[in-house]
Amino acid sequence: MSRIPNAFKNGTAFIGFLTAGDPTTEKTVEYILAMEEAGCDLIEIGIPFSDPMAEGVVIQDANVRALKHNTTTDDVFEIVKEVRQKTDIPLVFLTYINPVFFYGYEEFFKKCSEYGIDGIISPDLPYEEKGEIADIAARNDVDVISLIAPTSKERIQKIAGDATGFIYVVSSLGVTGMRSEIKTDLNAIISDIRDVTDLPVAVGFGINTPEQASDISKISDGVIVGSAIVKIIEKYGEDATDELKKYVADMKNACLR
């Protein structure tokens, strides 16, 4: 049974992202638990990949660091296994489709189910090709999280209509990364989504300040932050726990309403 609904039970969810294996697999476990303690309601775990096309330089560099440490998909599953010994927080993989294809769809989603992964986000899997994994994922109780971008206008209701878990609204055109302001008409996008589904709607890409989190929390069910968290890990390396806790706590407090 997916744990994802639990993330949205107490007001606006704060969803944090980090790249597995950066700086080490052991520290990834520690940082996931620290982020939960500080207020994260759901955590996205990035599987390192050599060509993360939707990512800005901060997360690209994190992928490079993790791959230099030879972090494999099996290592990431072991991270999840260790985390699951200590927490029931909803966990979602963020991965490009190539590593999943290479691993083997059946084996990958079977392991997701066994190890406690509740969903998967794949930025390079178009909606029209979602069927490639949807049935296999569903058989293993793993939600395939749909992304809706500012350019999705003609397809919003189609994408939202058969979405599962939650809907990831991409706030800005381009790649991930911290932005000083977000100009997309998110109200209109979210309104179109709510016309066809009651699933929670979370907004990501560019959000990095408490002020932005507060603004987004007023119109959505979840606030997603990745690059700002990864930047803290880049800066503090194996000593990032306290800084992560402080940042996550500040952002979660900004989401409360």
Side-chain angles (χ1 to χ4, degrees):
M1 191 73 176
S2 175
R3 302 167 187 83
I4 288 175
N6 296 337
F8 300 92
K9 286 183 174 178
N10 299 304
T12 305
F14 180 67
I15 299 171
F17 165 89
L18 80 176
T19 301
D22 177 35
T24 65
T25 55
E26 293 80 12
K27 283 294 175 179
T28 300
V29 173
E30 180 180 326
Y31 293 164
I32 289 171
L33 297 172
M35 287 163 63
E36 180 196 21
E37 182 183 339
C40 266
D41 299 290
L42 184 152
I43 295 176
E44 297 176 8
I45 303 172
I47 297 179
F49 182 51
S50 59
D51 188 23
M53 63 184 71
E55 314 300 346
V57 64
V58 172
I59 297 178
Q60 284 183 22
D61 287 348
N63 276 266
V64 170
R65 291 191 297 272
L67 291 171
K68 281 184 176 178
H69 299 147
N70 299 315
T71 306
T72 66
T73 303
D74 281 331
D75 292 331
V76 182
F77 276 118
E78 287 302 312
I79 288 170
V80 174
K81 182 178 181 180
E82 192 168 341
V83 168
R84 277 285 172 244
Q85 293 172 1
K86 300 177 180 178
T87 179
D88 210 34
I89 188 173
L91 297 175
V92 170
F93 275 152
L94 191 147
T95 177
Y96 292 82
I97 201 64
N98 186 275
V100 184
F101 175 80
F102 183 80
Y103 202 90
Y105 292 149
E106 292 284 355
E107 181 65 15
F108 182 87
F109 286 106
K110 180 182 176 185
K111 277 200 169 182
C112 284
S113 179
E114 290 175 356
Y115 283 63
I117 287 292
D118 302 293
I120 177 176
I121 302 167
S122 187
D124 62 342
L125 181 68
Y127 168 75
E128 289 76 13
E129 297 176 24
K130 177 182 172 182
E132 191 168 320
I133 63 170
D135 289 346
I136 302 170
R139 286 200 302 272
N140 289 281
D141 295 319
V142 178
D143 289 314
V144 179
I145 309 302
S146 296
L147 291 100
I148 291 179
T151 53
S152 301
K153 180 64 179 175
E154 304 303 320
R155 304 155 69 230
I156 287 176
Q157 295 190 344
K158 183 185 291 186
I159 295 171
D162 68 353
T164 62
F166 70 93
I167 293 174
Y168 188 136
V169 172
V170 177
S171 71
S172 308
L173 296 175
V175 295
T176 58
M178 298 175 284
R179 290 171 171 81
S180 59
E181 62 179 325
I182 294 168
K183 299 180 179 180
T184 303
D185 187 355
L186 294 172
N187 277 302
I189 294 173
I190 293 171
S191 176
D192 286 345
I193 293 169
R194 297 206 194 283
D195 282 344
V196 295
T197 182
D198 293 327
L199 280 180
V201 178
V203 179
F205 273 55
I207 302 166
N208 63 100
T209 69
E211 294 75 21
Q212 290 171 333
S214 178
D215 289 344
I216 296 296
S217 73
K218 292 178 174 66
I219 61 171
S220 74
D221 304 300
V223 174
I224 304 169
V225 174
S227 293
I229 289 171
V230 174
K231 190 72 175 174
I232 291 170
I233 295 171
E234 177 184 19
K235 180 176 181 180
Y236 293 96
E238 297 194 22
D239 301 307
T241 299
D242 290 343
E243 294 296 327
L244 282 173
K245 284 184 177 180
K246 181 179 184 303
Y247 178 76
V248 169
D250 287 346
M251 294 294 280
K252 175 59 181 176
N253 287 337
C255 292
L256 297 176
R257 51 174 177 155

